[in-house]
Amino acid sequence: MMARIKVLDPTANRSDDNASPGPDAGVLAGKRIGFRLDQIWRCWDLISENWAEKFRDAGAEVSFWRSTNRSGEEGEEQARSLDAWLKTIDVAVVGLANCGSCTGWTIRDAIAAANAGVATTAIATKNFEEFAHELAARGGRSGLRVHVLPYPLNELSREEVEPVAEAYFAGALEVMGASLSAQEKAA
């Protein structure tokens, strides 16, 4: 008697994949923009502070949500806290994919935001760009917007990170499908 086996193809796409990037962020003036932070990437704290100031100057309201431990009771509380925070924002800027596990949680949280109907962009460094896209596809959101920053980044001083924040801001707006004001969008 011959045994039957089932061979799975690890390269296959999900049948329920959502290849859409989701809604554009649009005109940011008047919107509620949320930055997802974590515990380890000081560079992302600095860049998000820089970008938040620009969003506030444009008339947006900005909030921050910081990811902490994600297992056990604390992890369950984090999941509830993330869900509650997502209900308070129109646009999510989710970072930072800059290592293996942090890329996993960044993309997981970005998918949660996108699936909640929030205009979402994940932020990754160059070394983790491909991994971020791979995880997004495996999570069923292959079209997830990913904005890429240079690598290495966290090892830089504040004085070295600030020019990166400035240099990559316009690109972030482009990936988000965003403009600071209606006048800028019309131009």
Side-chain angles (χ1 to χ4, degrees):
M1 179 169 175
M2 284 183 73
R4 297 188 83 184
I5 63 170
K6 186 173 187 175
V7 177
L8 302 177
D9 179 359
T11 64
N13 293 329
R14 289 176 57 143
S15 61
D16 63 345
D17 179 54
N18 184 344
S20 167
D24 284 348
V27 176
L28 298 180
K31 294 239 173 98
R32 301 167 300 166
I33 302 169
F35 284 93
R36 183 264 196 206
L37 308 173
D38 54 41
Q39 294 179 301
I40 56 177
W41 302 122
R42 179 187 55 85
C43 62
W44 178 232
D45 283 4
L46 296 172
I47 290 170
S48 62
E49 287 171 13
N50 179 297
W51 292 358
E53 187 175 318
K54 296 177 188 313
F55 293 152
R56 286 187 191 107
D57 288 347
E61 180 183 319
V62 177
S63 65
F64 295 87
W65 183 84
R66 188 173 299 275
S67 175
T68 59
N69 295 329
R70 305 301 287 268
S71 61
E73 269 186 46
E74 189 175 359
E76 291 175 20
E77 174 52 33
Q78 280 282 290
R80 287 189 293 272
S81 173
L82 175 62
D83 288 344
W85 179 68
L86 291 175
K87 292 175 183 161
T88 69
I89 60 175
D90 304 306
V91 177
V93 184
V94 182
L96 178 70
N98 193 42
C99 72
S101 65
C102 67
T103 299
W105 284 109
T106 295
I107 298 304
R108 181 218 174 268
D109 292 346
I111 289 172
N115 287 345
V118 175
T120 302
T121 300
I123 308 296
T125 57
K126 184 65 180 164
N127 278 19
F128 295 91
E129 175 184 11
E130 186 176 331
F131 188 41
H133 285 291
E134 179 65 30
L135 290 177
R138 289 178 183 256
R141 293 292 304 213
S142 65
L144 184 72
R145 299 168 195 264
V146 177
H147 182 53
V148 180
L149 301 176
Y151 182 92
L153 190 56
N154 206 52
E155 294 75 10
L156 304 179
S157 68
R158 174 184 285 270
E159 292 74 27
E160 294 168 314
V161 170
E162 284 296 325
V164 172
E166 294 293 332
Y168 284 79
F169 181 69
L173 291 177
E174 184 175 326
V175 171
M176 295 166 63
S179 61
L180 294 176
S181 66
Q183 293 80 14
E184 181 183 288
K185 185 175 183 177

